[in-house]
Coordinates of all heavy atoms in Angstrom, one line a residue:
S1 N -5.1 -7.2 260.1 CA -5.1 -8.0 261.3 C -6.5 -8.2 261.9 O -7.3 -7.4 261.7 CB -4.1 -7.5 262.3 OG -4.5 -6.3 262.8
T2 N -6.6 -9.2 262.7 CA -7.8 -9.4 263.4 C -7.5 -10.2 264.7 O -6.4 -10.8 264.8 CB -8.9 -10.1 262.6 OG1 -10.1 -10.0 263.2 CG2 -8.5 -11.6 262.3
I3 N -8.4 -10.2 265.6 CA -8.2 -10.9 266.9 C -9.0 -12.2 266.9 O -10.1 -12.2 266.6 CB -8.6 -9.9 268.1 CG1 -7.7 -8.7 268.0 CG2 -8.4 -10.7 269.4 CD1 -8.2 -7.6 268.9
F4 N -8.3 -13.2 267.4 CA -8.9 -14.5 267.5 C -9.1 -14.9 269.0 O -8.1 -15.0 269.7 CB -7.9 -15.5 266.8 CG -8.3 -17.0 266.8 CD1 -9.6 -17.4 266.5 CD2 -7.4 -17.9 267.2 CE1 -9.9 -18.7 266.5 CE2 -7.7 -19.3 267.2 CZ -9.0 -19.6 266.9
H5 N -10.3 -15.0 269.4 CA -10.6 -15.2 270.8 C -10.8 -16.7 271.2 O -10.8 -17.0 272.4 CB -11.8 -14.4 271.3 CG -11.6 -13.0 271.3 ND1 -10.9 -12.3 272.3 CD2 -11.9 -12.0 270.4 CE1 -10.8 -11.0 272.1 NE2 -11.4 -10.8 270.9
G6 N -10.9 -17.6 270.2 CA -11.3 -18.9 270.5 C -10.1 -19.9 270.9 O -10.1 -21.0 270.5
T7 N -9.1 -19.4 271.6 CA -7.9 -20.2 271.8 C -7.9 -21.0 273.0 O -7.3 -22.0 273.1 CB -6.6 -19.3 271.9 OG1 -6.7 -18.5 273.1 CG2 -6.5 -18.4 270.7
G8 N -8.7 -20.6 274.0 CA -8.7 -21.4 275.2 C -7.6 -21.0 276.2 O -7.5 -21.4 277.3
I9 N -6.6 -20.2 275.7 CA -5.5 -19.7 276.5 C -5.4 -18.2 276.6 O -5.3 -17.7 277.7 CB -4.2 -20.3 276.0 CG1 -4.0 -20.1 274.5 CG2 -4.0 -21.8 276.4 CD1 -2.6 -20.6 274.0
A10 N -5.5 -17.6 275.5 CA -5.4 -16.1 275.4 C -5.8 -15.6 274.0 O -5.7 -16.4 273.1 CB -4.0 -15.6 275.7
P11 N -6.3 -14.4 273.9 CA -6.6 -13.9 272.6 C -5.3 -13.8 271.7 O -4.2 -13.6 272.3 CB -7.1 -12.5 272.8 CG -7.4 -12.4 274.2 CD -6.6 -13.4 274.9
L12 N -5.4 -14.1 270.5 CA -4.3 -14.0 269.6 C -4.6 -13.0 268.5 O -5.8 -12.9 268.0 CB -4.0 -15.3 268.9 CG -3.5 -16.5 269.7 CD1 -3.5 -17.8 268.9 CD2 -2.2 -16.2 270.3
T13 N -3.7 -12.2 268.1 CA -3.8 -11.3 267.0 C -3.0 -11.8 265.8 O -1.9 -12.1 266.0 CB -3.3 -9.9 267.3 OG1 -4.0 -9.3 268.4 CG2 -3.4 -8.9 266.2
V14 N -3.7 -12.0 264.7 CA -3.1 -12.5 263.5 C -3.0 -11.4 262.5 O -4.0 -10.7 262.3 CB -3.9 -13.7 262.9 CG1 -3.3 -14.2 261.6 CG2 -4.0 -14.9 263.9
T15 N -1.8 -11.2 262.0 CA -1.6 -10.2 261.0 C -1.1 -10.8 259.7 O -0.4 -11.7 259.7 CB -0.5 -9.2 261.5 OG1 -0.8 -8.7 262.8 CG2 -0.3 -8.0 260.6
A16 N -1.6 -10.2 258.6 CA -1.3 -10.7 257.3 C -0.9 -9.5 256.4 O -1.4 -8.4 256.6 CB -2.4 -11.5 256.7
E17 N -0.1 -9.8 255.5 CA 0.3 -8.8 254.4 C 0.2 -9.6 253.1 O 0.9 -10.6 252.9 CB 1.7 -8.3 254.7 CG 2.1 -7.1 253.7 CD 3.4 -6.5 254.1 OE1 3.7 -6.5 255.3 OE2 4.1 -6.0 253.2
D18 N -0.6 -9.0 252.2 CA -0.8 -9.7 251.0 C -1.3 -11.1 251.3 O -2.3 -11.3 252.0 CB 0.4 -9.7 250.0 CG 0.8 -8.3 249.7 OD1 -0.1 -7.4 249.4 OD2 2.0 -8.0 249.7
D19 N -0.7 -12.2 250.8 CA -1.1 -13.5 251.0 C -0.2 -14.3 252.0 O 0.0 -15.5 251.9 CB -1.2 -14.3 249.7 CG -2.3 -13.8 248.8 OD1 -3.4 -13.4 249.4 OD2 -2.2 -13.8 247.6
Y20 N 0.4 -13.5 252.9 CA 1.4 -14.1 253.9 C 1.0 -13.7 255.3 O 0.6 -12.6 255.6 CB 2.8 -13.6 253.6 CG 3.3 -14.0 252.3 CD1 3.2 -13.2 251.2 CD2 4.0 -15.2 252.1 CE1 3.7 -13.5 250.0 CE2 4.5 -15.6 250.9 CZ 4.3 -14.8 249.8 OH 4.8 -15.1 248.6
I21 N 1.2 -14.7 256.2 CA 1.0 -14.4 257.6 C 2.3 -13.7 258.1 O 3.4 -14.2 257.8 CB 0.8 -15.7 258.5 CG1 -0.5 -16.4 258.0 CG2 0.8 -15.4 260.0 CD1 -1.8 -15.5 258.3
T22 N 2.2 -12.6 258.7 CA 3.4 -11.8 259.2 C 3.4 -11.7 260.7 O 4.5 -11.4 261.2 CB 3.3 -10.4 258.6 OG1 2.1 -9.7 259.0 CG2 3.5 -10.4 257.1
G23 N 2.4 -12.1 261.4 CA 2.4 -12.1 262.8 C 1.3 -12.8 263.5 O 0.2 -12.9 263.0
I24 N 1.6 -13.5 264.5 CA 0.7 -14.1 265.5 C 1.2 -13.8 266.8 O 2.3 -14.2 267.2 CB 0.5 -15.6 265.3 CG1 0.0 -16.0 263.9 CG2 -0.4 -16.2 266.4 CD1 -0.1 -17.5 263.6
D25 N 0.4 -13.0 267.6 CA 0.9 -12.4 268.8 C -0.2 -12.6 269.9 O -1.3 -12.6 269.6 CB 1.2 -11.0 268.6 CG 2.1 -10.4 269.6 OD1 2.0 -10.8 270.8 OD2 2.9 -9.5 269.2

């Protein structure tokens, strides 16, 4: 996972497992 700060609303954490997105929080 990594944190995405460029949203303009709030930071998002994106989580992946293998080649799939498993979470955006």
Side-chain angles (χ1 to χ4, degrees):
S1 65
T2 193
I3 300 168
F4 177 49
H5 289 282
T7 67
I9 49 176
L12 294 172
T13 298
V14 177
T15 305
E17 186 173 329
D18 300 318
D19 291 327
Y20 296 93
I21 297 299
T22 58
I24 298 176
D25 202 321

